[in-house]
Structure formats: C-alpha cells, structure tokens
Amino acid sequence: MTAIDYDTRTEALFVSDLQRSEEPTPELIRAAVTETVDRLGERGCAALVAQEFGEHPDCAMTRMQWARHAILEAFRPE
C-alpha cells in the first residue's frame, strides 16, 4: 500500500469495523486502516463516509470526531 494521507486514514477508520467502545490500540487502528483502504480503496472509503453522513448524520458526526482523534494518536510520530 502506498502512503496515505490523514483524511484518507480518517475515512478508512470511520468506515472500518472497529468500534470506539472496543478501545482499540494504535496497532489495531493502523491495521484496520490498512485493511479498509486495501479492501475499499480511497474512493470507496470516501463514498461510504458520504453515505453514512447522508443516512445517519447525528451518529456520523460523533464517529468522525472519534476517528479523527484516534488517527492522530495512532499515527503520531515517535
């Protein structure tokens, strides 16, 4: 997989099967992002994000906030 940017990582986590309630580790988050982008592609992730915001805007906002924060933590340079 080529290097992916912050927005794509966030979208991939958003549409992944990981749940905030699972309290995933940075390793699990990075693995979920890789698997989701490999499976759906960048455009596929973006399309599913748009679909979720259209169908469930109230839930989507909370999940996106979590995904943005989780990506910053999981991909923080050491």
Side-chain angles (χ1 to χ4, degrees):
M1 180 173 80
T2 60
I4 55 176
D5 65 23
Y6 169 76
D7 290 334
T8 301
R9 288 174 176 164
T10 302
E11 291 168 349
L13 181 59
F14 179 94
V15 300
S16 75
D17 293 332
L18 277 184
Q19 297 298 313
R20 180 182 190 173
S21 61
E22 297 174 43
E23 299 181 12
T25 63
E27 293 80 16
L28 285 175
I29 290 168
R30 290 190 294 267
V33 166
T34 299
E35 186 278 327
T36 304
V37 172
D38 285 349
R39 182 170 45 88
L40 300 174
E42 292 181 24
R43 289 183 181 176
C45 291
L48 287 176
V49 168
Q51 180 179 343
E52 283 301 309
F53 269 91
E55 293 177 1
H56 309 285
D58 50 332
C59 298
M61 181 60 73
T62 302
R63 183 157 174 87
M64 182 57 77
Q65 290 171 338
W66 166 74
R68 292 174 61 84
H69 176 74
I71 291 299
L72 286 174
E73 293 296 317
F75 289 90
R76 179 183 301 187
E78 296 181 19

